[in-house]
């Protein structure tokens, strides 16, 4: 849908109807370097404002987001082709995040004064400070074009870093709006958005002091390699193949409704979408019937402000083709479609689909689909469900559906994933006190998670301050037998166990 122009521009089209909805610059490598120079120059004054001063600016941006909610939602919809219902949640989530970081940054960034680990250390006062990386590069995918940038930019800005955001070339317009908001409120020039494709992203990785990446596992690996060469710290939020486990004691209708939403919100284009479902045998038939009926009732289509449709367009033709391949290959290998199964219409729509008789030899059960399909597997018991759920290179998140919450929590602790939601989907995505990060091929590091979510954008600095000062410290030169014996003997007396606290000479005499 997007074409590169000779003028180094990228055209943005609404995938629901093919309409051109905007153009952005395809920024060159030199422009990235120049932007980083500007951000680097502005960042010290931003850091010097302190967390409370910076929070004032974030709250002004929050006001701007509130005041422009409808227009921003229009932009999100225009570049993604998603339904109004799905698009409408992006701005409120950004507003919620702004409140969280503005309200907590000062406490999370306050110096720590840890107690020395040993009595010998009590000669010093210890301080840990959290000082921002000067410039954080944030690279985002196309699925949640306003939310994804806010997920990471707000925490990095509140940490005191300057932020260079490179949004997806598929859906850059919402990020451009965010930059407009930052400029309109008159905030310091510490937030820049540079549009472009992979080459621009690579230039960002090369120029910044910390990389926060959200996107596919393949691109994540390339970024990790580049960061490994330059020793740039990074955090990667990557793809997933999230399992849902439905136990025989679950409320089957509620589980089906939750899995329909968790699997098909945003046409299934969410990293933590439910992508495979394991159902205990006693409720399998009932669950599949409920799921199929609910998916059949969904309304597929493109709308503007109508709230008339449940499932919107897929963002790109390439993504729709992956979904089609997963369905077609599964069917060729013996799977059955209970509803949906086809790409339809002139836009990039794919019918919400329920697949059964699937297994782990099929791509729809092993590769990330990122589309509106729900493959369902019958399992004998909880152990088989856990085994199959863990049989994946991915480990982003999972859901467990059960009438026994304690059992759900026990199962959660057996799953090899970064988050488990019991009897709900996406709950961890809206709880910023929890870390959101993937295990295995789903990522490295995490976003949010209380203080850790802002301290990740800081370098920790250790400071020791003497409580009292001797004229010379015992280990300073010149070398001396007795001072060495004093220090090492003291350390042994403090650290060793039982009789070993004594000098070797005394221990020999005792034996
Ligand atoms: P992608 O990896 O193709 O692109 C993501 C971003 O990286 C884009 O901005 C792109 O221009 C840029 N990019 C591409 N090559 C680059 C390179 N070599 N160096 C630097 N930047 C480069 O991903 P996508 O198709 O836009 O997004 C879909 C993927 O994102 C899915 O795999 C999905 O699971 C994942 N995702 C993960 C999360 C999460 O939090 N874990 C959230 C949303 C999406």
């Amino acid at each position: 849908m997007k074409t590169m122009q000779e003028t180094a521009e990228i055209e943005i089209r609404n995938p629901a109807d093919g309409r051109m909805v905007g153009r952005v610059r395809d920024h060159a490598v030199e422009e990235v370097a120049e932007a980083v120079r500007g951000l680097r120059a502005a960042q010290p004054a931003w850091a010097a404002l302190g967390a409370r001063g910076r929070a004032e600016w974030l709250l002004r941006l929050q006001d701007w987001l509130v005041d422009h909610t409808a227009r921003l939602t229009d932009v999100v919809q225009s570049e993604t082709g998603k339904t109004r219902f799905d698009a409408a949640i992006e701005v409120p989530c950004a507003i919620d995040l702004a409140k969280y970081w503005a309200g907590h940054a000062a406490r999370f960034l306050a110096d720590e004064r840890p107690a020395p680990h040993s009595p010998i250390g009590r000669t010093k006062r210890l301080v840990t400070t959290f000082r921002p990386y000067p410039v954080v590069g944030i690279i985002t995918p196309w699925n949640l074009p306003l939310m994804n940038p806010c997920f990471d930019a707000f925490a990095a800005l509140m940490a005191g870093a300057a932020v260079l955001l490179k949004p997806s070339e598929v859906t850059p317009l919402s990020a451009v709006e965010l930059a407009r908001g930052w400029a309109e409120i008159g905030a310091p020039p510490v937030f820049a958005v540079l549009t472009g494709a992979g080459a621009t992203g690579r230039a960002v990785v090369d120029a910044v002091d910390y990389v926060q990446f959200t996107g596919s596992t393949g691109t994540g690996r390339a970024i990790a390699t580049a960061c490994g060469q330059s020793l740039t710290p990074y955090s990667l939020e990557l793809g997933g193949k999230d399992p849902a486990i439905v136990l025989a004691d679950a409320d089957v209708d509620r589980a089906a409704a939750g899995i329909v939403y968790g699997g098909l919100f945003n046409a299934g284009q969410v990293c933590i979408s439910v992508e495979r479902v394991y159902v205990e045998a006693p409720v399998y038939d009932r669950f599949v019937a409920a799921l199929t009926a609910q998916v059949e009732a969904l309304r597929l289509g493109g709308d503007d402000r109508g709230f008339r449709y449940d499932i919107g367009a897929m963002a790109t033709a390439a993504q729709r083709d992956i979904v089609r391949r997963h369905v077609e290959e599964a069917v060729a290998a013996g799977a059955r479609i209970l509803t949906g199964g086809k790409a339809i219409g002139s836009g990039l729509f794919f019918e919400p689909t329920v697949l059964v008789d699937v297994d782990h030899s099929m791509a729809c059960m092993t590769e990330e689909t990122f589309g509106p399909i729900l493959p369902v597997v019958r399992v004998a018991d909880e152990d088989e469900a856990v085994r199959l759920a863990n049989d994946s290179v991915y480990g982003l998140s999972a859901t467990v559906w059960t009438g026994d919450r304690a059992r759900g929590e026990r199962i959660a602790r057996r799953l090899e994933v970064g988050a488990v939601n019991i009897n709900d989907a996406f709950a961890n995505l809206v709880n910023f006190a929890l870390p959101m990060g993937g295990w295995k091929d789903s990522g490295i590091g995490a976003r949010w998670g209380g203080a850790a979510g802002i301290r990740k954008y800081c370098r920790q600095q250790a400071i020791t301050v003497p409580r009292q000062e001797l004229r010379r410290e015992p280990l300073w030169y010149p070398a001396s037998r007795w001072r060495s014996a004093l220090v090492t003997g003291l350390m042994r007396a403090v650290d060793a166990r039982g009789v070993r606290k004594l000098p070797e000479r005394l221990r020999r005499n005792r034996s």
Side-chain angles (χ1 to χ4, degrees):
M1 299 296 287
K2 324 291 167 187
T3 56
M4 304 284 273
Q5 308 262 301
E6 281 180 358
T7 50
E9 280 196 335
I10 301 170
E11 268 183 12
I12 314 303
R13 290 180 181 275
N14 182 332
D17 54 17
R19 210 165 19 110
M20 222 255 279
V21 291
R23 275 177 210 273
V24 293
R25 292 280 318 282
D26 184 20
H27 284 95
V29 172
E30 309 79 62
E31 292 174 292
V32 172
E34 193 185 320
V36 169
R37 274 195 294 278
L39 291 168
R40 223 176 260 297
Q43 184 269 336
W46 176 245
L49 280 180
R52 290 202 169 76
R54 295 192 295 270
E56 275 306 307
W57 285 112
L58 188 58
L59 291 173
R60 282 192 215 179
L61 182 70
Q62 188 203 47
D63 293 342
W64 185 90
L65 288 165
V66 173
D67 294 347
H68 295 83
T69 299
R71 191 170 60 78
L72 291 168
T73 307
D74 289 346
V75 174
V76 168
Q77 248 192 315
S78 75
E79 62 179 342
T80 57
K82 60 176 82 178
T83 61
R84 191 71 177 178
F85 188 67
D86 287 355
I89 198 65
E90 297 216 20
V91 182
C93 272
I95 290 167
D96 195 20
L97 261 170
K99 177 168 189 235
Y100 179 73
W101 288 120
H104 290 79
R107 184 160 61 80
F108 290 160
L109 294 172
D111 288 355
E112 282 186 349
R113 296 173 187 283
H117 75 277
S118 138
I120 301 171
R122 295 213 178 107
T123 56
K124 308 285 187 206
R125 193 159 56 73
L126 308 183
V127 187
T128 308
T129 69
F130 302 94
R131 293 175 48 197
Y133 289 103
V135 181
V136 170
I138 295 177
I139 300 174
T140 54
W142 43 257
N143 59 336
L144 302 168
L146 188 83
M147 237 149 75
N148 268 323
C150 298
F151 277 171
D152 300 309
F154 290 175
L157 285 167
M158 283 305 94
V163 168
L164 177 56
L165 168 66
K166 208 298 282 172
S168 167
E169 62 274 33
V170 181
T171 57
L173 301 179
S174 305
V176 170
E177 287 299 313
L178 202 60
R180 186 200 312 282
W182 190 254
E184 277 183 15
I185 62 170
V190 289
F191 177 54
V193 172
L194 283 198
T195 49
T200 313
R202 276 194 294 280
V204 170
V205 171
D206 288 344
V208 298
D209 308 304
Y210 184 101
V211 177
Q212 169 65 48
F213 172 76
T214 306
S216 63
T217 298
T219 308
R221 279 189 215 285
I223 288 174
T225 303
C227 288
Q229 282 301 313
S230 59
L231 294 183
T232 305
Y234 60 89
S235 179
L236 306 174
E237 302 292 336
L238 308 177
K241 190 73 194 168
D242 285 5
I245 295 177
V246 182
L247 299 170
D249 61 6
D251 174 339
V252 166
D253 283 333
R254 188 173 186 284
I259 287 169
V260 168
Y261 184 68
L264 305 180
F265 166 75
N266 214 34
Q269 301 167 113
V270 184
C271 54
I272 57 171
S273 289
V274 174
E275 292 232 346
R276 48 202 174 108
V277 187
Y278 303 100
V279 188
E280 273 193 313
V283 290
Y284 176 83
D285 290 336
R286 223 158 30 93
F287 174 82
V288 168
L291 185 77
T292 307
Q294 291 187 32
V295 172
E296 264 168 3
L298 296 172
R299 298 156 299 175
L300 176 69
D303 56 7
D304 285 331
R305 292 179 166 208
F307 291 94
R308 282 176 293 138
Y309 297 103
D310 306 297
I311 309 289
M314 311 227 45
T316 67
Q319 196 58 48
R320 181 206 49 200
D321 293 345
I322 293 172
V323 178
R324 183 159 46 198
R325 174 171 67 79
H326 283 188
V327 171
E328 286 174 2
E329 284 181 11
V331 169
R336 277 186 303 131
I337 296 170
L338 297 188
T339 182
K342 293 189 303 298
I344 57 161
S346 54
L348 298 177
F349 293 94
F350 198 94
E351 293 173 335
T353 300
V354 176
L355 282 174
V356 292
D357 300 341
V358 292
D359 61 45
H360 281 213
S361 69
M362 300 172 184
C364 71
M365 294 300 287
T366 56
E367 294 174 18
E368 184 180 51
T369 306
F370 224 60
I373 69 173
L374 286 166
V376 189
V377 177
R378 184 199 307 259
V379 292
D381 53 22
E382 171 185 322
D383 284 345
E384 188 184 11
V386 169
R387 182 175 60 73
L388 288 172
N390 285 337
D391 178 24
S392 173
V393 296
Y394 293 110
L396 195 50
S397 72
T399 61
V400 179
W401 304 83
T402 171
D404 177 347
R405 292 177 201 150
R407 184 183 178 202
E409 218 177 309
R410 277 198 305 278
I411 292 174
R413 288 167 206 275
R414 298 174 63 194
L415 294 172
E416 300 286 316
V417 294
V420 181
N421 294 305
I422 295 162
N423 291 344
D424 200 359
F426 303 152
N428 69 304
L429 190 65
V430 289
N431 277 291
F432 313 131
L434 290 174
M436 183 206 172
W439 294 9
K440 304 198 273 188
D441 285 3
S442 290
I444 291 180
R447 58 165 63 98
W448 314 329
I454 189 164
R455 289 181 181 175
K456 67 187 267 191
Y457 296 115
C458 296
R459 297 159 298 184
Q460 295 185 42
Q461 184 179 49
I463 301 176
T464 71
V465 186
R467 290 186 189 280
Q468 271 125 26
E469 287 179 48
L470 303 172
R471 221 164 59 78
R472 300 176 78 80
E473 295 297 322
L475 280 184
W476 289 2
Y477 295 130
S480 140
R481 183 188 301 276
W482 79 264
R483 279 188 284 111
S484 172
L486 177 74
V487 171
T488 58
L490 197 58
M491 289 176 76
R492 191 184 52 244
V494 167
D495 294 330
R497 297 194 299 167
V499 72
R500 290 181 177 80
K501 286 181 178 293
L502 299 173
E504 206 181 341
R505 180 172 41 84
L506 292 182
R507 272 186 276 146
R508 267 204 309 272
N509 291 347
R510 284 166 63 101
S511 57

